[in-house]
Amino acid sequence: GFADVPFLQAMAASADARLREFSPQNLANTAWSFATMKFSDVPLLYALSSSALSPIRDFLPQDLAITSWAMAVLVFGHAPLLDSIA
């Protein structure tokens, strides 16, 4: 697997800085990307979860499924996000 931790940390920081610009699909894809690499950057996950709350009504079912799956894979429970998805 891919284990270049400094690179993944840099990618997480870059994504974190731009989350406000992301569409619901971008948010879901970002969560998916980190989950497929099993790289859990807690500050990014908190920021991603918080950023998804406001536009949650605009998420397509696929975006909701991907985001839920990613959070489960990364064992990250953000109660407000999970409640809003449910």
Side-chain angles (χ1 to χ4, degrees), residues 3-82:
D4 187 345
V5 173
F7 174 75
L8 292 173
Q9 289 171 330
M11 292 299 294
S14 177
D16 189 4
R18 301 186 61 182
L19 287 177
R20 292 184 181 184
E21 302 168 22
F22 284 15
S23 69
Q25 183 179 3
N26 295 146
L27 293 168
N29 289 348
T30 301
W32 176 86
S33 297
F34 283 91
T36 58
M37 292 183 283
K38 294 185 175 45
F39 184 76
S40 183
D41 184 86
V42 174
L44 174 65
L45 293 175
Y46 272 113
L48 192 114
S49 297
S50 296
S51 295
L53 286 174
S54 179
I56 198 76
R57 66 189 173 285
D58 298 329
F59 275 55
L60 297 175
Q62 180 177 353
D63 301 329
L64 295 172
I66 290 169
T67 302
S68 299
W69 174 84
M71 296 303 171
V73 166
L74 296 172
V75 191
F76 183 78
H78 185 271
L81 176 63
L82 297 176

